Amino acid sequence: MPVEDVLHRFLLERAGVRGTLVRLGPAWHEVAGRADYPPVLHAALGEALAASALLTGNIKLDGTLSIELKSSGALRLLFAECTDQSQLRGLARWNGSLPEPLALDALPDAVMAITIGNVERGQRYQGLVELQHAGLAGSLENYFVQSEQLPARILLAADAGHAVGLMLQKMPDEGGHAAALDDDAWNRIVQLTATLGVEELLGTAPEQLLYRLYHEESVRLFEPRALAFGCSCSRGRVSSMLRSLGRDEVEAALAARGDEIEVICEFCAQRYHFDRIDALHLLSEHAAPGAPDTEQ
Ligand SMILES: [Zn+2]
């Protein structure tokens, strides 16, 4: 059973708590290696990547789930995405020196959104995450408590080796238990989880971690799901992007590079080339969302 690039769902049956644990290794290295990220941003990107997978744990995903944070400060963009095929990608953009620590609630004009849906079919749901915590985990936790009206606990951590996320949610009350008993059980799980240090979270294989923490809580593990780095870019999508820029921009791009446009995907470094004939051809086409060539 893999211990890296894996998502585990579990139940703490006696306590009425469900959980998801994500542990990323190689998939995280792929994302982290795309740019020379400052350490503080490297950690934030790892946390966001783990979180994007973590949040798919208990939903029926059709399309992608993305976490996107934009600000007008030194941190311009933090983006992470997980698809229904369990493929992960992410990136960050920054400008100048980043504040340390990188407190999300202190970023100027910061907006964070979780977007879930299928771009091809135009079915998307977007929720805004209030940034009232310095860390990503606290902000996401708050979002879940507000949107689902159920207590939640989220832990995120990343270093050079791994990006890890743990999420716990109290299950909806089915009427069989006294509410006070449920609260006791939830508090007990929260206290057990609070004993977990960052090093232990990053350095322990998933099953070992869950049994170590919750061995007295009858942990029920579901079949784990393999995760992997993957990019959904395609020539069709790049063509749509160029088309959306309009003729003047495309002409300027052609002129700047000897009648050729090169687009390099920031997520996966795939290069796409368009000569003048290609460019004129794509400008003459009508945008056709869902056309077969946008799928790869
Ligand atoms: Zn790509």
Side-chain angles (χ1 to χ4, degrees):
M1 197 169 292
V3 295
E4 294 192 322
D5 291 349
V6 69
L7 182 150
H8 282 270
R9 289 174 57 237
F10 58 93
L11 274 183
L12 306 176
E13 287 178 297
R14 210 140 30 103
V17 172
R18 67 182 179 189
T20 308
L21 176 62
V22 167
R23 181 172 175 82
L24 303 175
W28 164 226
H29 306 158
E30 284 278 353
V31 170
R34 295 285 163 209
D36 189 13
Y37 291 115
V40 70
L41 188 53
H42 178 269
L45 181 58
E47 290 188 4
L49 196 69
S52 73
L54 198 61
L55 302 193
T56 68
N58 282 311
I59 60 170
K60 252 228 159 334
L61 183 64
D62 171 19
T64 62
L65 182 148
S66 67
I67 299 171
E68 185 173 18
L69 168 67
K70 285 180 174 167
S71 117
S72 65
L75 172 59
R76 313 301 295 197
L77 173 72
L78 182 64
F79 179 91
E81 182 184 77
C82 183
T83 72
D84 55 10
Q85 303 301 307
S86 300
Q87 292 198 326
L88 295 163
R89 62 178 190 168
L91 60 81
R93 293 196 195 109
W94 74 104
N95 187 7
S97 60
L98 292 156
E100 283 189 57
L102 189 63
L104 301 187
D105 54 350
L107 296 172
D109 311 313
V111 180
M112 183 154 96
I114 293 174
T115 307
I116 299 170
N118 192 311
V119 180
E120 259 80 36
R121 289 215 291 276
Q123 294 164 336
R124 299 212 303 170
Y125 161 80
Q126 190 167 69
L128 291 180
V129 181
E130 277 183 63
L131 293 167
Q132 291 176 338
H133 289 262
L136 182 61
S139 300
L140 291 174
E141 205 172 281
N142 218 21
Y143 174 81
F144 272 92
V145 172
Q146 284 177 1
S147 64
E148 301 196 7
Q149 303 291 316
L150 291 169
R153 190 85 186 88
I154 296 178
L155 303 184
L156 297 168
D159 64 7
H162 297 97
V164 180
L166 173 64
M167 178 168 180
L168 299 164
Q169 277 181 300
K170 190 173 162 180
M171 304 237 279
D173 196 355
E174 280 154 10
H177 302 273
L181 200 71
D182 282 354
D183 284 344
D184 280 352
W186 173 252
N187 291 336
R188 193 173 69 238
I189 299 302
V190 167
Q191 277 167 18
L192 283 172
T193 310
T195 64
L196 182 62
V198 170
E199 280 181 20
E200 195 180 3
L201 180 61
L202 285 168
T204 315
E207 285 186 83
Q208 204 183 338
L209 186 78
L210 293 176
Y211 284 118
R212 195 183 291 175
L213 277 176
Y214 308 122
H215 58 93
E216 286 174 1
E217 297 293 334
S218 56
V219 189
R220 188 167 142 212
L221 273 176
F222 297 100
E223 192 67 24
R225 203 169 94 201
L227 302 165
F229 171 77
C231 188
S232 50
C233 70
S234 67
R235 191 171 174 86
R237 284 194 181 174
V238 175
S239 298
S240 303
M241 182 275 293
L242 289 172
R243 197 182 295 123
S244 72
L245 292 176
R247 181 169 296 270
D248 290 352
E249 287 243 16
V250 169
E251 286 287 356
L254 281 169
R257 245 189 86 109
D259 256 12
E260 189 198 57
I261 296 173
E262 181 184 62
V263 178
I264 303 171
C265 177
E266 276 189 277
F267 291 100
C268 70
Q270 174 73 43
R271 287 163 190 265
Y272 296 95
H273 292 100
F274 298 83
D275 62 17
R276 174 163 287 276
I277 293 169
D278 296 332
L280 294 179
H281 178 66
L282 73 88
L283 285 172
S284 69
E285 286 173 13
H286 286 291
D293 73 340
T294 61
E295 288 281 358
Q296 198 178 52

